[in-house]
Coordinates of all heavy atoms in Angstrom, one line a residue:
E1263 N 118.0 -47.8 166.9 CA 118.6 -46.8 167.8 C 118.4 -47.2 169.2 O 117.2 -47.3 169.7 CB 117.9 -45.4 167.5 CG 118.3 -44.3 168.4 CD 119.8 -44.2 168.6 OE1 120.5 -44.1 167.5 OE2 120.3 -44.0 169.7
P1264 N 119.4 -47.5 169.9 CA 119.3 -48.1 171.4 C 118.4 -47.3 172.2 O 117.5 -47.8 172.9 CB 120.7 -48.1 171.8 CG 121.5 -48.3 170.6 CD 120.8 -47.5 169.6
S1265 N 118.5 -46.0 172.2 CA 117.6 -45.1 173.1 C 116.1 -45.3 172.8 O 115.3 -45.0 173.7 CB 118.1 -43.7 173.0 OG 117.8 -43.2 171.7
A1276 N 121.8 -50.5 177.4 CA 121.8 -49.8 176.2 C 123.0 -50.1 175.4 O 124.0 -50.8 175.8 CB 121.9 -48.2 176.6
G1277 N 123.0 -49.8 174.1 CA 124.1 -50.0 173.2 C 123.6 -50.8 172.0 O 122.7 -51.6 172.1
H1278 N 124.3 -50.8 170.9 CA 124.0 -51.5 169.6 C 124.1 -53.0 169.8 O 123.2 -53.6 169.3 CB 124.8 -50.9 168.5 CG 124.5 -49.6 168.0 ND1 123.2 -49.3 167.5 CD2 125.2 -48.5 168.0 CE1 123.2 -48.0 167.1 NE2 124.4 -47.5 167.4
D1321 N 127.7 -41.1 161.7 CA 128.2 -41.7 162.9 C 127.0 -42.3 163.7 O 126.1 -41.6 164.0 CB 128.9 -40.8 163.8 CG 129.5 -41.4 165.0 OD1 129.8 -42.6 165.0 OD2 129.8 -40.7 166.0
I1322 N 127.0 -43.5 164.1 CA 126.1 -44.2 165.0 C 126.6 -44.7 166.3 O 126.1 -45.6 166.9 CB 125.3 -45.3 164.2 CG1 126.2 -46.4 163.8 CG2 124.5 -44.8 163.1 CD1 125.5 -47.7 163.3
T1323 N 127.8 -44.1 166.6 CA 128.4 -44.5 167.9 C 127.6 -44.3 169.1 O 126.9 -43.3 169.2 CB 129.7 -43.7 168.1 OG1 130.6 -44.0 167.0 CG2 130.4 -44.1 169.4
V1324 N 127.5 -45.2 170.0 CA 126.7 -45.1 171.3 C 127.8 -45.3 172.5 O 128.4 -46.3 172.5 CB 125.6 -46.0 171.4 CG1 125.0 -46.0 172.8 CG2 124.6 -45.8 170.3
G1325 N 127.9 -44.3 173.3 CA 128.8 -44.5 174.4 C 130.2 -44.8 174.0 O 130.9 -45.5 174.7
G1326 N 130.6 -44.3 172.9 CA 132.0 -44.5 172.5 C 132.3 -45.9 171.8 O 133.3 -46.1 171.4
V1327 N 131.2 -46.7 171.7 CA 131.4 -47.9 171.1 C 130.7 -47.9 169.7 O 129.4 -47.7 169.6 CB 130.7 -49.1 171.9 CG1 130.9 -50.5 171.2 CG2 131.4 -49.2 173.3
D1476 N 135.1 -35.2 169.3 CA 134.6 -34.0 169.9 C 134.9 -33.9 171.5 O 135.2 -32.8 172.0 CB 133.1 -34.1 169.8 CG 132.6 -33.9 168.4 OD1 133.4 -33.3 167.6 OD2 131.4 -34.1 168.0
Q1477 N 134.9 -35.1 172.1 CA 135.4 -35.1 173.4 C 136.8 -34.7 173.7 O 137.0 -33.8 174.6 CB 135.2 -36.5 174.0 CG 135.7 -36.8 175.4 CD 134.5 -36.6 176.4 OE1 133.4 -36.6 176.1 NE2 134.9 -36.5 177.7
R1498 N 135.0 -34.9 182.9 CA 135.0 -35.7 181.7 C 133.7 -36.5 181.5 O 133.1 -36.6 180.4 CB 136.2 -36.8 181.6 CG 137.6 -36.1 181.4 CD 138.5 -37.2 181.2 NE 139.9 -36.6 180.9 CZ 140.8 -36.5 181.9 NH1 140.5 -36.8 183.2 NH2 142.0 -35.9 181.7
T1499 N 133.2 -37.0 182.6 CA 131.9 -37.7 182.7 C 130.8 -36.8 182.2 O 129.9 -37.2 181.4 CB 131.6 -38.3 184.0 OG1 132.6 -39.3 184.3 CG2 130.2 -39.0 184.0
V1500 N 130.8 -35.6 182.7 CA 129.8 -34.6 182.4 C 129.9 -34.2 180.9 O 128.8 -34.2 180.2 CB 129.9 -33.2 183.2 CG1 129.1 -32.2 182.6 CG2 129.7 -33.6 184.6
L1501 N 131.1 -34.0 180.4 CA 131.3 -33.8 179.0 C 130.8 -34.9 178.1 O 130.0 -34.7 177.1 CB 132.7 -33.5 178.7 CG 133.4 -32.1 179.1 CD1 134.8 -32.1 178.9 CD2 132.6 -30.9 178.2
H1502 N 131.1 -36.1 178.5 CA 130.7 -37.3 177.7 C 129.2 -37.4 177.7 O 128.6 -37.6 176.7 CB 131.3 -38.6 178.4 CG 130.8 -39.9 177.6 ND1 131.2 -40.3 176.4 CD2 129.8 -40.7 178.1 CE1 130.6 -41.4 176.2 NE2 129.7 -41.7 177.1
G1503 N 128.5 -37.2 178.8 CA 127.1 -37.2 178.9 C 126.4 -36.2 178.1 O 125.4 -36.4 177.5
A1504 N 127.0 -34.9 178.1 CA 126.5 -33.9 177.2 C 126.5 -34.3 175.7 O 125.6 -34.1 174.9 CB 127.3 -32.6 177.5
F1505 N 127.7 -34.7 175.2 CA 127.9 -35.1 173.8 C 126.9 -36.2 173.5 O 126.3 -36.3 172.4 CB 129.3 -35.5 173.5 CG 130.2 -34.4 173.3 CD1 131.3 -34.2 174.2 CD2 130.0 -33.4 172.3 CE1 132.2 -33.1 174.0 CE2 130.8 -32.3 172.2 CZ 131.9 -32.1 173.0
E1506 N 126.8 -37.2 174.4 CA 125.9 -38.4 174.2 C 124.4 -37.9 174.1 O 123.7 -38.4 173.2 CB 126.1 -39.5 175.2 CG 125.3 -40.7 175.0 CD 125.9 -41.5 173.7 OE1 126.8 -41.1 173.1 OE2 125.2 -42.5 173.4
A1507 N 124.1 -37.0 174.9 CA 122.6 -36.5 174.9 C 122.3 -35.8 173.7 O 121.2 -35.9 173.1 CB 122.5 -35.6 176.2
V1508 N 123.3 -35.0 173.1 CA 123.0 -34.3 171.9 C 122.9 -35.3 170.8 O 122.0 -35.2 169.9 CB 124.2 -33.3 171.6 CG1 124.2 -32.8 170.2 CG2 124.2 -32.2 172.6
R1509 N 123.8 -36.3 170.7 CA 123.7 -37.4 169.7 C 122.5 -38.1 169.7 O 121.8 -38.3 168.7 CB 124.9 -38.4 169.8 CG 125.2 -39.3 168.7 CD 125.8 -40.5 169.0 NE 125.0 -41.3 169.9 CZ 123.9 -42.1 169.6 NH1 123.7 -42.2 168.3 NH2 123.3 -42.9 170.4
V1510 N 122.0 -38.6 170.9 CA 120.8 -39.4 171.0 C 119.6 -38.5 170.6 O 118.6 -38.9 169.9 CB 120.6 -39.8 172.5 CG1 119.2 -40.4 172.7 CG2 121.6 -40.9 172.8
D1511 N 119.6 -37.2 171.1 CA 118.5 -36.3 170.7 C 118.4 -36.1 169.2 O 117.3 -36.2 168.6 CB 118.6 -34.9 171.3 CG 117.5 -34.0 171.0 OD1 116.4 -34.2 171.4 OD2 117.8 -32.9 170.3
A1512 N 119.4 -36.0 168.5 CA 119.5 -35.8 167.1 C 119.0 -37.1 166.4 O 118.2 -37.0 165.4 CB 120.9 -35.4 166.6
A1513 N 119.5 -38.2 166.8 CA 119.1 -39.5 166.4 C 117.5 -39.7 166.5 O 116.8 -40.2 165.6 CB 119.8 -40.6 167.0
E1514 N 117.0 -39.4 167.7 CA 115.6 -39.6 168.0 C 114.8 -38.7 167.1 O 113.7 -39.2 166.5 CB 115.3 -39.3 169.4 CG 115.9 -40.4 170.4 CD 115.5 -40.1 171.8 OE1 115.0 -39.0 172.1 OE2 115.7 -41.0 172.7

Side-chain angles (χ1 to χ4, degrees):
E1263 171 55 45
S1265 64
H1278 286 297
D1321 181 25
I1322 58 172
T1323 300
V1324 174
V1327 179
D1476 290 342
Q1477 175 92 14
R1498 287 192 180 93
T1499 300
V1500 169
L1501 284 171
H1502 175 78
F1505 282 119
E1506 185 66 7
V1508 170
R1509 190 204 67 80
V1510 169
D1511 178 67
E1514 289 181 350

